[in-house]
Amino acid sequence: MSKFLSAAASSVVALAIATSASAQTAPAAAAAGPAVTHGAALPGVCILSSQSAIAGSQVGKAVSTRLQTITQQVNAELSGERTALENEGKALDAKKATTAQDALEQQAAALQVKANAWQRKGQLRQREVEATEQKALSRVYQEMDTPIKQAYQAAKCSILFDRESVMLANPAMDITPAVVTALDARIKTLTFDRERLDQQVPGAAPLQPSK
């Protein structure tokens, strides 16, 4: 019987919810190395870090803050339910000496059903947080398309490279700061709630930008 209760308890404490918000976090600074002297900037050649542009923009910071809030809400929801299940398991374990074996096994089985349902809910919430992050970032990338083109034309670029794919380059060719400035002028925040994957509503309201 104790093994059965241990199995139930292990399923109760198995899950943690977190969101990376990877595109919202500026890349970690590289280790300090020898100073690099760049050659002359190449006319028409430009580089851009879209991740750094989002992380440095007002809308990117707003999205990151909102995602953190949603994640905290999910954690609080699941943590409260986990505590209730753990307490129920402890109470059931304390009744072993005074409860008939059949009744004890029935109650333990019912607790296991609840624990399994809690695990499934936790997995669903994790997928919802991930879907929320993906949808929000997709919207920000859409909003950034015009600022990228504006900065590209202003710098008279002929070709644009992803900065994350370039080992070293003259910073004078980097249009990321210009893209951040243009993106901030276009949109400053984004209003959204957690995606509900278990109850998708046709025609649901889209994400709403605001100045």
Side-chain angles (χ1 to χ4, degrees):
M1 185 61 199
S2 59
K3 291 182 179 180
F4 186 90
L5 290 176
S6 295
S10 65
S11 66
V12 169
V13 299
L15 188 66
I17 293 293
T19 182
S20 63
S22 56
Q24 300 305 314
T25 305
V36 175
T37 301
H38 297 280
L42 300 176
V45 178
C46 300
I47 57 175
L48 165 70
S49 170
S50 57
Q51 290 187 8
S52 294
I54 291 178
S57 69
Q58 293 184 47
V59 67
K61 293 173 182 177
V63 167
S64 179
T65 298
R66 179 59 181 151
L67 286 170
Q68 290 174 7
T69 298
I70 290 174
T71 301
Q72 290 169 356
Q73 292 170 345
V74 167
N75 279 330
E77 174 190 6
L78 294 175
S79 178
E81 295 177 2
R82 180 183 64 188
T83 298
L85 287 170
E86 290 174 339
N87 290 338
E88 188 174 345
K90 292 175 182 177
L92 181 59
D93 194 44
K95 295 193 302 183
K96 287 192 298 183
T98 59
T99 305
Q101 184 73 11
D102 289 348
L104 197 62
E105 290 181 357
Q106 289 178 358
Q107 293 175 45
L111 176 59
Q112 181 67 67
V113 170
K114 291 180 182 179
N116 292 342
W118 179 83
Q119 277 194 313
R120 290 193 298 271
K121 182 177 183 179
Q123 292 164 358
L124 174 64
R125 291 291 180 267
Q126 183 172 0
R127 293 196 301 271
E128 288 176 341
V129 170
E130 292 170 350
T132 302
E133 178 183 8
Q134 292 171 3
K135 185 174 181 179
L137 290 179
S138 176
R139 178 59 187 275
V140 176
Y141 274 106
Q142 290 175 10
E143 293 289 344
M144 194 166 58
D145 183 66
T146 296
I148 290 175
K149 292 176 180 177
Q150 291 173 341
Y152 179 92
Q153 292 177 331
K156 295 181 172 57
C157 302
S158 297
I159 189 170
L160 180 61
F161 290 105
D162 181 356
R163 197 174 75 187
E164 275 67 48
S165 299
V166 177
M167 293 186 64
L168 289 171
N170 190 318
M173 298 187 294
D174 193 344
I175 65 171
T176 302
V179 171
V180 171
T181 298
L183 183 58
D184 284 347
R186 182 180 179 86
I187 182 173
K188 292 180 171 57
T189 190
L190 198 61
T191 302
F192 59 93
D193 294 316
R194 191 184 81 234
E195 291 293 298
R196 309 287 176 146
L197 301 182
D198 55 346
Q199 50 182 8
Q200 292 285 5
V201 179
L207 296 172
Q208 298 296 323
S210 59
K211 295 290 185 181

